[in-house]
Each structure stands twice: as C-alpha cells, then as structure tokens.
Amino acid sequence: MPMSATNAPPAAPSAPSWPDSGTEAVPFRQFLLKVHSRCNLACTYCYMYEAADQSWRQRPRSMAPATVRRASRLMAEHATEHALSEVHVVLHGGEPLLVGAQYLEDLLGTVTDALAGIATPRFSLQTNGIRLAEDPRLLPVLDRHAVRIGVSLDGTPAGHDLHRRRADGKGSHAATARALELLTEPAHRHLFAGLLCVIDASTDPLETYDALLRFAPPRLDLLLPHGTWQAPPPGLDTRIAPPSAPPAPGTAARATPYADWLCAVFDRWYGAPRRETGIRLFEEIMVLLLGGTARSEVVGLTPVDLVVVETDGAIEQADSLKVSYPGAPETGLHVFRDTFADAAAHPAFRARQRGLSGLGPVCRSCTRSRVCGGGLYAHRYFPGAAPVFSAPSVYCDDLAVLVDHIGARLRQDVAALTVPRRKATR
C-alpha cells in the first residue's frame, strides 16, 4: 500500500492525550461538510480509502437532509455567538459532486437560509471535476450559490494518471481536462478557484508546473503526499524516526526529493517576468519569513479554525489525520448531541491552538519554527512521541531546505532593493 510500509493498518494509541492549551478557544470560521463518502476514482494516495482510518466503510454514502439542517443551525448559532460576519463552508468528500444537482441545490439553500441575517456563507467545493462535464445541471446550481470550485489535477497526463485512476485502473486525466475546459469557459471561469496538485517527486517539476498552467488557474495548491513517521511518504522509506535536533542551516543530513522538486518550481515561479499564478505554499512561507501571519494549517502557527462534519453527523478534526491511526480525527461529538462550541472547547482542537508552545522540543528549538510551524499536524505523527503529534514533520528536512531556499531569495532581493536607497541618502 502506498500509505504504509505494510498492508496492516497502524495501531492506534491506547489513550490519546492532548496538553492543556491554556488559552481561550478559537471560534470556527471554516466548516467542512463531508456531503458524500464515496468517490468515482481510486487514487493510490487517498487518505480517505488507502490510509490507516477506514471509518468511511461504516458511514452513509451521503449526508441526510436532517443532518444538513442540524449542522446549518449549529453554524448559525456559532456565528451568532462569535459575531462572525461570514463563514466558509467547504463541500467535500469522497467526491462531493456525486450527490447530484438537486441535492446540492437543497443543501446550499438550507445553509444559506440558516445563516440569513447572521453571516454571509462563502461556499467552496473540492472535486476531481469529472462530474462537471458529465452532468450539465451541476454548474448552474453552483453558479447560483457562488460556489468556488477547486479541481484536483496532478500535472501532465502521464503524471496525473500515475495515481488518479478509476477503479478499473484507467487514467482520469482526459475526463478532468474536459471538465476544466468547461469550467474555464468565460461563462464559468469566475467560479474557478484553482488547482490542487499532489506532488510526485519522481515527476519533472517544471513539466508538471507547465501542465497546470495550461488551464490558467488563479491559484495552485502544491501538496505533499500524506505520510507519517510510521508510514513514510513515497521515496522517504528510511524516515522512520524523527530527528533529535533541528536540521542545520545550509545542510541536509538526508536526501530531500520533495524540497528539490518544490525549489525548482519556486525558482521558475518567483523568477517569471510576470505573475503566472498564485502558489499558496510559497506565498505563505514568504509572508511568514517577512513577519506576517499564515492562513494555512500547512505552515505557520495560526490556530486551527476548521471543523469537519462527517456524513453521519460526527463532528471531527481535519480529515488528513486519517493517515495516522484509526479514529485519529474523532472527538466523540455529534451534531444531534453537541454544538460547535463544544467542539471548539475539545482538547483535541485546543491542542492545535497553542502556537509555538504546542510544538515538541525539537521544533521549538529550531530557528524556522515560526515559519514551518512543525509542518502539517498529521505529518508529525510518531507513536513513540508523547503526545503522539509532538514530533517534527516527517518532511522536516524537506521543509527546512525549502524555507532556507525561499529565505535566501528574499534576503537577496530585499538587499538589492535597499542598497540604492542607502546610496541616495548620502
């Protein structure tokens, strides 16, 4: 299995524990609704179906209307309690478009009605895109409710079809490309939020980047494939124990194929004579290096403000945690028993709102900690750590190389900008 060194799922810790945050709970501003728990693809790296947590097998295929209504009411209560002027509602799966046009119309209307006069809903949806071209009724519904659409595309046809396959093993690039051609037509382009690409370090980074640019995305999300110290990512099979000290500046103790891939794309993107697209990971790192605040859970120390509602109504943490151990995202909360205030106060969420003090000792001692933030929470999982998510990311070396590389380019350009000013004042 690509997500683990063995076919057996990693064992769960017998008693997960979270340190006390010592701070007030942070309200949720992002509500991710798992509207459909199945998919029309069988991607090799999917954390939903190929990783340690297999809870999808026991969940209903789609979220029942009563669950949608209850979750919408709880969102409205949460927005009222915290005086939120807007909330972000993300439709997710599985493949969310499998629910069909009428279901989407009903769901979006239910959420909008519940939030009316309280907060503006900002809808988005992440999809493999295939159903957009297969069902012409979908885009008009999404347009009526101003749903921003992100599409998953892994670059070239060959690179994409390495992993994003149908159940029969056939590739899906041609079908996704047809959907993107439809979405990027003038009538629909305003709905196009961008592309999500999971990195395969064995592919050519610049060929992949050029293939993504073909669709002129307003933004790219370049994602590291999910992995942990117990189930290392592809190409990092020897990373089975976290480091005892931060990577030294200017050196890499181990091979860093993902950093090498990303640095090549960064140099092309940053050095382009005109802006070709936005790349969230690079922009977030640059903002953090310049003293700003990130808006992503991938880097930085911003407190988590996203909560997940599963198809059965369970209130959970980010579903990327499914890569670590069975039950990792669970809180024991449910929309028909509990509220989002209960979730915000839950120690699992509070543990991800502690900033620098929430990192383990190796990360806290690293000069890059305020930038990389220890990496994505799920990627820090190591059963031998206490707590189990206190280790540095399994991508620690790659993140260090990438942050140092981007930092060097910024320092060089800032120096070039400031030298003429100094001369002019003499």
Side-chain angles (χ1 to χ4, degrees), residues 180-402:
L180 280 166
E181 287 163 0
L182 178 63
L183 181 59
T184 55
E185 288 179 355
H188 308 302
R189 174 165 274 280
H190 61 286
L191 300 176
F192 186 26
L195 296 174
L196 181 153
C197 171
V198 177
I199 297 166
D200 183 330
S202 71
T203 62
D204 184 289
L206 300 186
E207 286 184 2
T208 301
Y209 181 56
D210 282 331
L212 297 171
L213 289 181
R214 169 192 163 192
F215 298 100
R219 183 172 295 276
L220 295 180
D221 273 310
L222 301 177
L223 301 188
L224 295 166
H226 288 311
T228 70
W229 293 104
Q230 189 173 47
L236 303 181
D237 297 341
T238 60
R239 293 194 192 177
I240 56 175
S244 58
T251 63
R254 296 181 273 199
T256 55
Y258 292 93
D260 298 343
W261 197 99
L262 284 165
C263 287
V265 177
F266 174 81
D267 287 342
R268 157 69 188 276
W269 171 79
Y270 186 76
R274 59 175 179 80
R275 178 181 169 88
E276 296 173 322
T277 186
I279 300 183
R280 191 185 311 273
L281 177 61
F282 300 158
E283 291 170 345
E284 296 277 18
I285 290 174
M286 291 168 68
V287 166
L288 289 161
L289 285 166
L290 293 170
T293 302
R295 296 178 295 173
S296 164
E297 67 172 342
V298 176
V299 291
L301 297 169
T302 301
V304 63
D305 67 354
L306 178 143
V307 63
V308 175
V309 179
E310 281 284 357
T311 54
D312 60 359
I315 300 173
E316 298 197 343
Q317 303 174 75
D319 55 352
S320 58
L321 292 174
K322 294 177 187 292
V323 75
S324 53
Y325 60 86
E330 295 176 5
T331 63
L333 305 177
H334 195 280
V335 295
F336 285 106
R337 291 193 308 268
D338 310 286
T339 68
F340 290 127
D342 296 325
H346 192 282
F349 284 103
R350 300 292 298 281
R352 302 182 62 189
Q353 298 171 348
R354 299 175 65 223
L356 188 64
S357 65
L359 301 180
V362 173
C363 290
R364 288 199 304 270
S365 67
C366 181
T367 58
R368 311 174 187 87
S369 59
R370 295 185 183 278
V371 178
C372 82
L376 187 70
Y377 197 70
H379 298 170
R380 306 178 206 170
Y381 176 67
F382 179 60
V388 293
F389 291 103
S390 62
S393 168
V394 70
Y395 289 105
C396 178
D397 291 285
D398 294 87
L399 290 171
V401 169
L402 178 63

Side-chain angles (χ1 to χ4, degrees), residues 97 108 123-127 132 136-151 179-180 182-195 216-219:
L97 292 182
L108 294 165
F123 293 112
S124 62
L125 177 146
Q126 187 62 43
T127 174
L132 291 175
R137 298 169 298 175
L138 288 167
L139 275 171
V141 172
L142 298 171
D143 195 1
R144 265 194 301 280
H145 295 275
V147 180
R148 299 276 288 164
I149 302 168
V151 179
L180 280 166
L182 178 63
L183 181 59
T184 55
E185 288 179 355
H188 308 302
R189 174 165 274 280
H190 61 286
L191 300 176
F192 186 26
L195 296 174
R219 183 172 295 276

Side-chain angles (χ1 to χ4, degrees), residues 68-213:
V68 174
R69 290 192 295 272
R70 177 62 179 170
S72 301
R73 176 183 167 187
L74 294 182
M75 279 188 262
E77 291 177 358
H78 197 72
T80 299
E81 179 183 356
H82 296 283
L84 304 179
S85 61
E86 65 178 31
V87 296
H88 295 265
V89 181
V90 184
L91 308 186
H92 213 272
E95 171 47 54
L97 292 182
L98 288 177
V99 298
Q102 188 58 56
Y103 180 105
L104 281 175
E105 182 72 68
D106 295 342
L107 179 147
L108 294 165
T110 296
V111 175
T112 300
D113 290 345
L115 291 168
I118 299 170
T120 301
R122 305 294 184 190
F123 293 112
S124 62
L125 177 146
Q126 187 62 43
T127 174
N128 59 43
I130 294 172
R131 291 292 298 154
L132 291 175
E134 293 176 343
D135 186 349
R137 298 169 298 175
L138 288 167
L139 275 171
V141 172
L142 298 171
D143 195 1
R144 265 194 301 280
H145 295 275
V147 180
R148 299 276 288 164
I149 302 168
V151 179
S152 300
L153 182 74
D154 287 353
T156 67
H160 179 96
D161 289 343
L162 276 174
H163 304 289
R164 300 190 61 80
R165 305 171 188 156
R166 298 180 185 271
D168 60 6
K170 295 180 180 178
S172 63
H173 184 276
T176 299
R178 283 195 295 273
L180 280 166
E181 287 163 0
L182 178 63
L183 181 59
T184 55
E185 288 179 355
H188 308 302
R189 174 165 274 280
H190 61 286
L191 300 176
F192 186 26
L195 296 174
L196 181 153
C197 171
V198 177
I199 297 166
D200 183 330
S202 71
T203 62
D204 184 289
L206 300 186
E207 286 184 2
T208 301
Y209 181 56
D210 282 331
L212 297 171
L213 289 181

